Amino acid sequence: MLVTSALPYANGHIHLGHMLEYTQTDIFVRYQRMAGRRCVYICADDTHGTSIMIRARKEGRSEEAVIADMSGAHQRDFADFMIQFDHYGSTNSAATREVCHEIWASLRKNGRVAKRDVTQLFDPQAGTFLADRFVRGTCPRCGAPDQYGDNCDKCGSTYSATELVDPKSTLSGARPELKSAEHLFVAIEPDHAFLTEWTAAEGRMPKEIANYLAGHFLAEPLRDWDVSRPAPYFGFEIPDAPGHYWYVWFDAPIGYMGTTREWCDKNGERMDDWWRSDKTEIVHVIGKDIVYFHTLFWPSMLKSAGYSLPSRVQVHGFLTVNGEKMSKTKGTFVMARTYLDHLDPSYLRYYYASKLGARVEDFDLNVDEFVQKVNAELVNKIVNLASRSSRFVAKTGLSASYPDDGGLFEAAAKAGAEISEAYAAFDFARAIRIIVGLADRANEYVDRVAPWALAKQAGKEQDVQNACTVALNLYRQIVLYLAPVLPKLAAESGALLNSPMDRLDLAQKPLVGTPVAPYQHLMKRMEVEAVHKMIEASRAGEPGEAPKASAAPEAGAAEAAPAKYEDAGDALAKEPLAPQCSIDDFTKVDMRVARIIAAEGVPGAKKLLKLTVSLGGDTTRQVFAGIKAYYDPKDLLGRLVIVCANLAPRQMKFGMSEGMVLAAGDGESVFVLSADSGAKPGMRVH
């Protein structure tokens, strides 16, 4: 399998929006390798275009110097986030140029190239034609000022840059002029029938993307693709059209191939084994904004030159922070390096994995949820399993044979198939839910056997060793399943248990009779203050800039002012506070920690799930909860929740409801309240 991520542009540093895609791809690649697949991960800097040329002019140096510096910065950021490429190249390479020439020759041979004049805005001061993003002006539809040359953020209209009112070049501030120049076009309409069939193939891409292509681009004749730009332009000059350069989006995807060729030359491989072989799957991971390049133009180019087409194009949505676009002013436009200066990259890898499903959905990094999820799930439930049990067997090692654990190890081994299926489908959120469920059951076992209590009793040495052998084996399974997401934790856990952590099938057999190293700290809780410092530092935007000054707090204001969290007041306004009650009123409500031990849909009920919750021992309650639209029943099994345990039973159409599961919501979303690991069913909420 050959896997690629979209190539980062060499005119800017990597930020957390970028990291979503590279983390997603890296997890997929690491899973494939742990599953026994030979998987090569290729990436490169996307280096050509007007932006690089203008930046080089402003800085008084060559374009090659600019892209070399940025490549070094990109690769350092990726390495520190544990993104593991087999080869990282550049589109400004001899190998990429060679493949460009080859594909261009095939397009010429097949009669796909045509010439015609194009009228564009030209900056007379900068001496260059302007791409849409280099023009701003007043929207011709709604009159909103300072809009880009292709669409309006205010009203959503799309238009030509030549329609802008009072346009200005963002390069020089000059008023652009209309000017015509000859451009080269590639016709892709001859491949219309082929592309219709190719994009609709099962598993080729997310269904919503295939449907979008079918209903938009493929619903009408495909327009010719403008693939050239006149001089001056930084890029590859077209060999049979002097003075014309391939547009950056022509050579960017070819950069996948050029970089593969470099890797092949370096490792004694044959290029045709990777790009002209039925035995190799090619997988592209991209954002939804560049779908048409990868699913229409790109397959048409590959087909023309006789290369393999992608087996799969996996598409993700955009990243928002706290429900909004990333903002430098609010400190939520976070550069990768700024994050690394303040927080452990494992935190972000875990959080991204826990939220990334197979569907093309925008992704919100909610700062409060980020901290809570990492601390409650990753540190409290998972890492603490090792710290709570390994120290008791540091001298004895694990038991010689695996003790009876009531079927816990066997159940976790069986879960490996579903976890693998989720990883392979890019449904990392489902994999994480299953893994956290295994951690819940492992913690329940540790709480029940309490090795720390056994260790204080004479003659219980074997019981202590057996209990910790079970706990550490369950921990090992969990970390093996998490290894694609958390390679550093997997490596350090392997050192603790004197066991490799590089194959998923290791989770199928218990580890026994081996030494256990002295416990070394694996991961600490995320500190909210570190997050605040990161946000403050991010107000600068690009690395190296000084942070923008923030207003001084009023005298007596708390350091953790609400502005740091920027929580909106709409939820409270929508559902105002209830009338004041007394402490006596409050204590009448008996709220308890409970564990969901059964969950199922209710036939004939659109909103209800029937839950059986355990309050500890043999005490259970049957509860009907209106959360069917928000939770899959199987994802709730084993979860600790809060219930109102002394609510009078209520006879409903579908049965008797004997309590209430507590949840928060705004009418559009519902969030079941949970207790941190360590809480036990039956504990009262005070």
Side-chain angles (χ1 to χ4, degrees):
M1 181 180 284
L2 180 75
V3 183
T4 72
S5 300
L7 311 186
Y9 196 46
N11 196 39
H13 288 278
I14 302 298
H15 56 66
L16 296 196
H18 294 127
M19 287 311 308
L20 175 65
E21 179 171 308
Y22 302 102
T23 301
Q24 181 183 32
T25 316
D26 185 74
I27 291 170
F28 179 74
V29 169
R30 288 178 183 272
Y31 157 72
Q32 293 290 347
R33 290 171 178 162
M34 289 190 70
R37 190 84 179 266
R38 188 177 186 210
C39 189
V40 172
Y41 184 12
I42 293 296
C43 199
D45 269 357
D46 180 7
T47 58
H48 293 154
T50 306
S51 298
I52 297 292
M53 181 181 70
I54 298 299
R55 177 176 172 179
R57 286 181 185 177
K58 287 182 177 179
E59 296 178 4
R61 53 185 182 148
S62 69
E63 290 91 349
E64 288 79 8
V66 171
I67 62 180
D69 284 352
M70 196 57 72
S71 178
H74 286 178
Q75 292 186 65
R76 286 190 294 274
D77 289 346
F78 288 136
D80 289 347
F81 266 101
M82 296 170 275
I83 309 300
Q84 192 175 60
F85 301 112
D86 287 275
H87 186 60
Y88 193 90
S90 166
T91 57
N92 194 48
S93 68
T96 298
R97 187 198 298 265
E98 288 171 9
V99 184
C100 285
H101 283 214
E102 182 184 343
I103 290 178
W104 183 251
S106 74
L107 293 169
R108 283 282 199 190
K109 180 180 177 181
N110 294 328
R112 294 296 188 86
V113 181
K115 295 179 183 179
R116 59 176 174 267
D117 286 348
V118 172
T119 301
Q120 284 181 287
L121 293 178
F122 181 82
D123 185 328
Q125 197 167 315
T128 184
F129 285 94
L130 296 171
D132 292 343
R133 65 182 179 279
F134 293 124
V135 188
R136 295 186 80 96
T138 300
C139 172
R141 308 286 187 265
C142 72
D146 198 31
Q147 298 300 312
Y148 278 115
D150 56 355
N151 69 85
C152 176
D153 285 340
K154 186 81 171 177
C155 70
S157 297
T158 59
Y159 41 75
S160 166
T162 57
E163 297 179 73
L164 279 175
V165 179
D166 296 324
K168 284 187 179 180
S169 165
T170 61
L171 301 180
S172 67
R175 185 182 181 89
E177 302 171 351
L178 280 176
K179 193 172 181 180
S180 294
E182 185 179 81
H183 282 229
L184 300 172
F185 290 78
V186 169
I188 61 171
E189 174 59 19
D191 283 331
H192 197 136
F194 159 74
L195 291 170
T196 298
E197 181 180 356
W198 184 82
T199 56
E202 186 68 28
R204 179 83 67 210
M205 61 192 70
K207 287 189 181 298
E208 56 265 48
I209 296 297
N211 292 340
Y212 170 75
L213 293 171
H216 289 74
F217 298 104
L218 293 166
E220 56 188 34
L222 293 166
R223 285 181 280 182
D224 293 351
W225 181 29
D226 186 348
V227 297
S228 76
R229 295 295 183 268
Y233 191 81
F234 178 58
F236 293 143
E237 190 171 21
I238 301 175
D240 54 10
H244 295 269
Y245 293 76
W246 282 306
Y247 172 47
V248 62
W249 264 111
F250 180 82
D251 62 49
I254 294 175
Y256 300 144
M257 303 177 74
T259 305
T260 306
R261 179 169 286 179
E262 289 182 334
W263 175 82
C264 287
D265 292 344
K266 184 178 176 182
N267 293 278
E269 299 275 342
R270 293 177 66 253
M271 178 74 167
D272 283 357
D273 288 341
W274 296 93
W275 282 96
R276 281 193 173 109
S277 172
D278 293 338
K279 295 180 179 179
T280 298
E281 286 185 66
I282 298 170
V283 177
H284 296 313
V285 182
I286 61 169
K288 64 182 181 181
D289 55 327
I290 56 175
V291 160
Y292 50 95
F293 291 112
H294 284 80
T295 58
L296 298 175
F297 305 142
W298 180 228
S300 187
M301 291 163 62
L302 291 169
K303 177 174 174 286
S304 175
Y307 281 107
S308 300
L309 273 66
S311 310
R312 180 178 190 150
V313 179
Q314 182 62 34
V315 184
H316 61 80
F318 297 140
L319 179 75
T320 59
V321 180
N322 292 336
E324 300 177 343
K325 288 183 178 180
M326 293 189 295
S327 162
K328 289 184 181 180
T329 303
K330 294 181 179 180
T332 56
F333 196 99
V334 182
M335 294 295 166
R337 184 53 50 184
T338 306
Y339 176 97
L340 291 163
D341 288 341
H342 295 88
L343 293 170
D344 185 338
S346 292
Y347 297 159
L348 193 70
R349 288 180 66 100
Y350 180 79
Y351 184 75
Y352 278 174
S354 74
K355 303 280 281 185
L356 275 165
R359 292 178 58 82
V360 187
E361 297 173 329
D362 289 348
F363 180 110
D364 187 51
L365 197 168
N366 179 283
V367 173
D368 291 339
E369 182 194 33
F370 180 28
V371 175
Q372 190 275 338
K373 182 175 280 287
V374 166
N375 289 342
E377 294 179 4
L378 184 53
V379 179
N380 289 359
K381 291 185 179 182
I382 295 171
V383 174
N384 276 358
L385 275 171
S387 64
R388 295 169 79 193
S389 52
S390 63
R391 60 192 176 96
F392 296 110
V393 287
K395 294 181 179 179
T396 65
L398 301 181
S399 300
S401 59
Y402 189 70
D404 179 17
D405 66 359
L408 287 171
F409 186 92
E410 182 182 0
K414 288 181 179 177
E418 189 176 357
I419 292 168
S420 289
E421 181 183 274
Y423 276 131
F426 283 91
D427 195 352
F428 303 159
R430 178 159 64 99
I432 296 297
R433 286 195 300 270
I434 299 166
I435 294 167
V436 171
L438 298 178
D440 282 332
R441 289 186 276 282
N443 277 289
E444 183 182 5
Y445 170 84
V446 174
D447 290 339
R448 185 171 70 249
V449 298
W452 52 87
L454 290 173
K456 296 177 182 178
Q457 302 175 39
K460 295 288 187 178
E461 291 81 7
Q462 188 59 55
D463 291 341
V464 171
Q465 187 183 29
N466 287 345
C468 293
T469 296
V470 171
L472 289 172
N473 266 282
L474 298 179
Y475 170 75
R476 176 171 168 265
Q477 284 179 307
I478 290 165
V479 176
L480 279 166
Y481 293 147
L482 276 176
V485 180
L486 301 171
K488 182 172 180 284
L489 178 64
E492 292 175 349
S493 298
L496 173 70
L497 300 174
N498 288 281
S499 171
M501 303 287 278
D502 57 352
R503 300 196 324 272
L504 287 172
D505 60 9
L506 293 172
Q508 300 299 308
K509 185 178 179 181
L511 187 67
V512 293
T514 58
V516 174
Y519 181 76
Q520 300 290 325
H521 190 70
L522 294 172
M523 190 175 293
K524 65 178 183 178
R525 289 172 60 83
M526 191 192 305
E527 299 296 334
V528 174
E529 187 56 34
V531 179
H532 291 163
K533 289 179 179 177
M534 177 190 74
I535 290 173
E536 187 62 30
S538 296
R539 296 182 198 278
E542 295 280 324
E545 296 178 12
K548 296 177 182 177
S550 54
E554 295 181 7
E559 285 189 4
K564 284 192 173 183
Y565 294 101
E566 297 172 350
D567 293 328
D570 51 345
L572 183 61
K574 190 173 183 179
E575 192 170 1
L577 293 173
Q580 194 174 78
C581 70
S582 68
I583 187 66
D584 292 334
D585 293 330
F586 176 78
T587 54
K588 290 178 183 177
V589 181
D590 190 344
M591 291 179 288
R592 301 278 176 163
V593 176
R595 187 182 304 281
I596 298 176
I597 59 175
E600 60 184 296
V602 179
K606 294 182 179 180
K607 298 181 179 180
L608 295 179
L609 291 181
K610 183 171 76 171
L611 308 177
T612 303
V613 299
S614 169
L615 294 169
D618 297 326
T619 305
T620 61
R621 293 276 195 279
Q622 177 175 280
V623 178
F624 289 93
I627 59 174
K628 188 174 184 178
Y630 309 98
Y631 289 91
D632 189 322
K634 66 177 182 293
D635 293 336
L636 293 170
L637 293 177
R639 182 165 174 171
L640 292 176
V641 294
I642 309 298
V643 300
C644 178
N646 66 336
L647 191 66
R650 177 188 174 199
Q651 182 63 50
M652 301 178 68
K653 174 183 177 182
F654 308 101
M656 184 71 73
S657 188
E658 302 171 312
M660 182 179 290
V661 172
L662 301 191
D666 57 7
E668 296 179 1
S669 301
V670 168
F671 307 92
V672 171
L673 304 188
S674 298
D676 281 354
S677 178
K680 298 179 180 179
M683 283 183 173
R684 185 164 186 176
V685 178
H686 295 282

